[in-house]
Amino acid sequence: MKKKYITSILVIGMIAQIVFLSPMLIPPKDASAQVIRVMTYNIHQYYVLDPSDIEDKTGRYVFDELLKVIKESGADIIGLQENEGLRLSSGNQNGVAWLASQLGMYYYYGPATSEQIYGEAILSRWPIIQQEWKQYPRPEGIERGVMYVVIDSPIGQLNVFNTHFEIDRFKTAQREEANFLIDYVGDRKAIILGDFNTRSDENNEAYHLLYNRFTYGLVESGLHPNATEGFTSPAHAPTHKIDYIWLTRGDWNVLPDSYAIYGNPDASDHLAVLIELSS
Amino acid sequence: MENREINFGVVVRQTGLMLLFVALFNRFVSMTFVLNFTTAGVNSTLLFVFLTMSSFSIARIRLNEGINQNLYWLVWALFTFLSVLATIDNAILGSLASGLALQFMGILLLTNLDLASVETRTSLVLATAGQYLIYAILGGLYVFSTELGKSIYYLVLLVTTLSIQISPSTPIPKPGSLFLVYPYLNFLLLFLGVPSLVATWTFDGVLVSLIPLPIYIILLSVVMSLSALVAFIYPDLVNRLSFGIVAAMYSLALLDVLLLKLFVPVSIGLVIYIALSLISATRDVTIPMFKQMFFVQQFLITIFLFLYVSAGNWAFLPSFLGVASHGLAWFYLFLSGLLVVGSIALTRRYVS
């Protein structure tokens, strides 16, 4: 009798799990559009940028703040970086799935936690019909990679790449990553999102490789490559930009003045970059 | 299973203690990481990691005499106080308070667990399933990330405390039970604790390439709970095979999840079922030199945990730690899992 009683508790618990997890399966509301808003956002593993003094560190997680930033932006497609929350040291949490369920979006998690990457993921208002992730060659620095998805959008199938380059101390790695990315994109008509850790105002080889191969979303929207409006880092007092949206040359119509910055230091140490595109 | 009536008050208390342990441990590790997550490298707060070893505080307990009721209540009050402090948004306070609470938690677990009783065996299964349920309710987040999560934590703390009033019992240490349950709870957090964690660990498995990821996560969650349920209903199935064969099956299943990734959902189910069943089946235990053995066990857990966490952050660590951990996260998880069956094997040598 008591065995049946406890078994019932466990079965009810199991049903409850399915009920609570099912929001991940709810298809997003239809949001057909002729203009799409794409964004790139480094989210610093879901916790607020802490001061360097350890006695002032809060360790406060900022899921609600991130959700607010993304909602305010109205972005249709978001490339996330530093989204790996499933490490024990990050609190064992699936922030990508949570954000997707809260926004009513589809998602591709990207590299598995076991890859030991800081995380790259895609959120999309429309179904993701193809997805893959590749690790960059690593002559120095830590493991890095690039993800590729095909999104079934109202303006057709979109090839979207999302990446996070090595820090600028490792120039050789950055150059190899840029060359790998250019080869990977190939002839595809594509949108390339990411934190490239390369500054336009410095003589950075990786930046120039990308600039010569793709068009820069900021420039296409009518701004100068070194425009201060594009600064994204650090979020509390931006002095440079390392987060970019690149586009394959001649393939896209960027809406004038659509380049916009979202976010604040209470959400991440980076600001988000958004542009509007039409077919 | 015994014929006597099950004491649900005790089940609630023990289940609550296990859930609180896992939550506090998670808090402790993440806050200690936050304190040390800088490009400048690690700092002295990394030494907090040894607070996970509650054998320091347990060494003060006289195992054969039971625990004085006043001491028991004092430990409980301190645990509750530190437990609440640990939820405050300050990384040093969060890390230190949760680490110290784990010290007192060790004593509370020691005095509340008894694998010879149906209550502890039931609690172990309920805590395993409950852990998944909480993560499901929170949509994949952990309890200290949102106000809802913190509310759930406080609710479990309150219910656990009330259950002591409802069904008081004499706190008599059961070292053997603690010796088996402690590594399992650590393992529950490290590897089995979160459905989505296991899912991402196994993203490159065969099945996940065939079905949508959200469905895969739900499938894994159900498989894990179902395994706990089967372990509860049929705990003696493992006794039909020799311990060596069962341990080999467990190790292979673990390796499959961490490295081979061929039959992941089946392997995860096997790992949970075998671990829970073996612990339940190893009931009457008296371990000589418990304090020393428990110290070694906790030391190993701490080292494996440290190297596992280091594997993901090797770039920020001194080079020798980077070499010892880089790319080896799976290996330290595997060792943590082996420690569960290793502890069971050791304990079985002393079964009377």
Side-chain angles (χ1 to χ4, degrees), chain A residues 233-252:
Chain A
S233 174
H236 65 277
T239 56
H240 56 276
K241 53 182 177 292
I242 52 179
D243 306 276
Y244 299 90
I245 299 173
W246 300 100
L247 304 163
T248 45
R249 217 168 270 283
D251 290 335
W252 300 94

Side-chain angles (χ1 to χ4, degrees), chain B residues 1 9 28 53 67 73 104 115 119 138 147 169 199 233 248 262 299 318:
Chain B
M1 207 171 278
F28 173 76
M53 296 180 62
I67 291 177
W73 281 108
F104 294 105
L115 280 170
E119 282 85 1
L138 297 177
E147 292 308 311
S169 62
I233 299 173
L262 297 174
F299 183 73

Side-chain angles (χ1 to χ4, degrees), chain B residues 33-350:
Chain B
F33 165 74
V34 164
L35 290 172
N36 287 279
F37 180 56
T38 66
T39 48
V42 296
N43 54 60
S44 55
T45 59
L46 196 66
L47 292 174
F48 286 179
V49 73
F50 289 105
L51 283 174
T52 54
M53 296 180 62
S54 55
S55 50
F56 295 132
S57 51
I58 287 173
R60 310 304 303 165
I61 304 296
R62 292 179 182 174
L63 295 173
N64 299 324
E65 297 176 10
I67 291 177
N68 179 290
Q69 281 287 352
N70 292 331
L71 174 65
Y72 183 77
W73 281 108
L74 178 67
V75 167
W76 189 274
L78 284 171
F79 162 74
T80 307
F81 173 69
L82 290 166
S83 188
V84 172
L85 270 188
T87 65
I88 294 171
D89 284 335
N90 178 290
I92 286 188
L93 196 61
S95 174
L96 207 53
S98 50
L100 288 171
L102 283 170
Q103 292 289 313
F104 294 105
M105 174 62 100
I107 296 172
L108 293 171
L109 276 173
L110 177 74
T111 54
N112 275 283
L113 298 176
D114 180 5
L115 280 170
S117 74
V118 67
E119 282 85 1
T120 295
R121 299 200 297 277
T122 306
S123 303
L124 209 51
V125 171
L126 286 176
T128 304
Q131 171 76 354
Y132 306 144
L133 180 60
I134 290 173
Y135 273 95
I137 292 171
L138 297 177
L141 303 189
Y142 92 134
V143 286
F144 293 112
S145 289
T146 57
E147 292 308 311
L148 173 64
K150 285 180 186 173
S151 302
I152 289 175
Y153 180 83
Y154 291 136
L155 184 67
V156 174
L157 188 64
L158 180 68
V159 169
T160 310
T161 304
L162 287 176
S163 68
I164 294 179
Q165 299 290 345
I166 295 166
S167 47
S169 62
T170 310
I172 299 172
K174 297 288 182 187
S177 298
L178 185 69
F179 193 72
L180 295 184
V181 173
Y182 210 90
Y184 176 75
L185 290 179
N186 279 281
F187 189 51
L188 184 68
L189 174 64
L190 256 63
F191 170 67
L192 301 173
V194 192
S196 46
L197 167 67
V198 181
T200 51
W201 195 265
T202 57
F203 262 5
D204 41 356
V206 175
L207 191 59
V208 76
S209 62
L210 302 175
I211 58 174
L213 181 63
I215 293 175
Y216 183 74
I217 290 175
I218 291 173
L219 173 72
L220 281 171
S221 172
V222 171
V223 165
M224 285 191 273
S225 298
L226 209 57
S227 307
L229 180 63
V230 175
F232 175 73
I233 299 173
Y234 304 109
D236 296 327
L237 279 180
V238 288
N239 287 336
R240 294 184 186 178
L241 298 170
S242 76
F243 181 80
I245 291 174
V246 175
M249 284 169 62
Y250 172 90
S251 306
L252 278 177
L254 199 51
L255 264 184
D256 183 41
V257 177
L258 296 175
L259 207 59
L260 306 174
K261 299 162 184 170
L262 297 174
F263 315 102
V264 172
V266 177
S267 298
I268 284 175
L270 259 180
V271 167
I272 295 180
Y273 171 74
I274 292 175
L276 276 175
S277 300
L278 281 179
I279 290 171
S280 294
T282 311
R283 294 176 189 175
D284 184 15
V285 285
T286 307
I287 300 176
M289 297 175 67
F290 165 72
K291 286 177 180 174
Q292 291 84 347
M293 299 252 283
F294 191 50
F295 177 86
V296 172
Q297 185 192 58
Q298 288 211 319
F299 183 73
L300 289 175
I301 287 172
T302 304
I303 296 298
F304 296 157
L305 167 80
F306 176 74
L307 289 168
Y308 168 59
V309 171
S310 299
N313 307 291
W314 63 274
F316 299 105
L317 295 170
S319 58
F320 72 97
L321 280 174
V323 171
S325 59
H326 184 207
L328 292 172
W330 72 270
F331 179 64
Y332 297 115
L333 267 184
F334 182 63
L335 291 181
S336 297
L338 283 190
L339 200 60
V340 177
V341 282
S343 301
I344 294 167
L346 197 65
T347 306
R348 288 194 163 200
R349 291 181 57 193
Y350 302 111

Side-chain angles (χ1 to χ4, degrees), chain A residues 121-258:
Chain A
I122 288 272
L123 301 172
S124 167
R125 196 174 300 285
W126 305 291
I128 296 168
I129 55 176
Q130 191 183 328
Q131 58 192 39
E132 65 180 20
W133 176 84
K134 289 188 177 184
Q135 188 171 328
Y136 286 128
R138 192 173 67 84
E140 55 188 344
I142 61 172
E143 287 86 351
R144 305 271 178 177
V146 53
M147 67 196 313
Y148 165 58
V149 297
V150 179
I151 294 171
D152 193 13
S153 84
I155 62 169
Q157 293 189 355
L158 306 174
N159 297 304
V160 181
F161 294 79
N162 180 36
T163 188
H164 188 189
F165 273 18
E166 186 51 90
I167 55 174
D168 60 1
R169 184 152 54 97
F170 299 119
K171 297 276 194 296
T172 306
Q174 283 194 340
R175 188 184 63 236
E176 291 206 17
E177 287 163 355
N179 282 323
F180 185 98
L181 176 63
I182 289 166
D183 288 345
Y184 190 22
V185 173
D187 296 332
R188 282 178 277 226
K189 172 184 176 182
I191 301 165
I192 303 114
L193 310 168
D195 171 357
F196 292 84
N197 275 319
T198 57
R199 293 173 59 159
S200 59
D201 56 345
E202 291 178 346
N203 191 22
N204 184 291
E205 191 179 356
Y207 174 82
H208 288 295
L209 283 168
L210 297 170
Y211 192 82
N212 290 333
R213 170 64 180 84
F214 306 118
T215 59
Y216 183 9
L218 174 140
V219 174
E220 294 298 300
S221 78
L223 292 171
H224 186 273
N226 291 332
T228 55
E229 291 95 324
F231 289 173
T232 58
S233 174
H236 65 277
T239 56
H240 56 276
K241 53 182 177 292
I242 52 179
D243 306 276
Y244 299 90
I245 299 173
W246 300 100
L247 304 163
T248 45
R249 217 168 270 283
D251 290 335
W252 300 94
N253 178 28
V254 178
L255 270 60
D257 302 325
S258 68

